[in-house]
C-alpha cells in the first residue's frame, strides 16, 4: 500500500455523563488547525493530521511506534441527541466533544370525545 495514502485510526472513549454523550480522543502531536469534527446525518467524523516535528527518512528508523500523517474516526451516534448544540474542546492534546441528549419525550393523554 502506498505510504502516502495510509491513514491512522484514532482511539476514543465514549460515555454518557450529565445528560451529554461525551467523546474523548487523545490526539497528541496534532495542532488545532489540523483537526476537523463533522456530523453527517447520525455519524460523527473526526479527522486530521499529525505532522512530525522533523522530516526523517523512513530508512533511518531503528524503531517506530508513533503514527504521523492523516487519521480519522467515525462514530455512529444514538438517535436521541441534540446535534444542533454540539461542543468541542481541544486542550493538552485531548479532543473532547459533548453532545447533549434531547429533552425526554413527554407522553400526553388526549381525551377523545364523541360528537
Amino acid at each position: 500500500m502506498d505510504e502516502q495514502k495510509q491513514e491512522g485510526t484514532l482511539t476514543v472513549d465514549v460515555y454518557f455523563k450529565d445528560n451529554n454523550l461525551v467523546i474523548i480522543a487523545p490526539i497528541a502531536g496534532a495542532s488545532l488547525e489540523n483537526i476537523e469534527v463533522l456530523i453527517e446525518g447520525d455519524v460523527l467524523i473526526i479527522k486530521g493530521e499529525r505532522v512530525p516535528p522533523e522530516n526523517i527518512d523512513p530508512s533511518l528508523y531503528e524503531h517506530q511506534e508513533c503514527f504521523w500523517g492523516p487519521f480519522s474516526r467515525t462514530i455512529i451516534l444514538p438517535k436521541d441527541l441534540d446535534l444542533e448544540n454540539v461542543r468541542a474542546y481541544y486542550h493538552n492534546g485531548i479532543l473532547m466533544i459533548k453532545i447533549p441528549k434531547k429533552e425526554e419525550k413527554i407522553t400526553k393523554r388526549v381525551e377523545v370525545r364523541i360528537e
Side-chain angles (χ1 to χ4, degrees):
M1 182 177 213
D2 184 4
E3 195 169 325
Q4 296 291 358
K5 294 184 181 183
Q6 287 183 356
E7 185 172 88
T9 302
L10 200 57
T11 58
V12 295
D13 286 344
V14 181
Y15 56 90
F16 276 101
K17 182 179 180 189
D18 299 328
N19 214 31
N20 289 285
L21 179 72
V22 180
I23 300 154
I24 295 179
I27 312 178
S31 65
L32 183 57
E33 297 80 32
N34 291 337
I35 299 172
E36 188 172 18
V37 177
L38 305 166
I39 295 179
E40 294 180 359
D42 64 348
V43 176
L44 176 80
I45 303 164
I46 303 168
K47 61 183 180 176
E49 184 171 2
R50 289 184 181 102
V51 179
E54 57 183 334
N55 193 9
I56 303 293
D57 182 329
S59 67
L60 297 177
Y61 279 98
E62 191 69 31
H63 181 76
Q64 183 180 14
E65 291 183 7
C66 299
F67 178 83
W68 302 104
F71 59 83
S72 70
R73 181 66 184 258
T74 58
I75 300 166
I76 297 174
L77 299 171
K79 297 285 186 205
D80 62 344
L81 298 178
D82 181 359
L83 300 179
E84 298 298 319
N85 290 301
V86 177
R87 299 170 316 242
Y89 313 92
Y90 187 60
H91 182 67
N92 289 338
I94 308 250
L95 176 67
M96 177 182 284
I97 301 166
K98 291 185 177 183
I99 309 173
K101 289 181 78 173
K102 286 183 181 175
E103 295 295 321
E104 291 184 32
K105 294 179 184 176
I106 299 173
T107 303
K108 180 179 176 183
R109 185 177 181 95
V110 178
E111 183 181 335
V112 179
R113 297 180 185 193
I114 298 176
E115 291 190 14

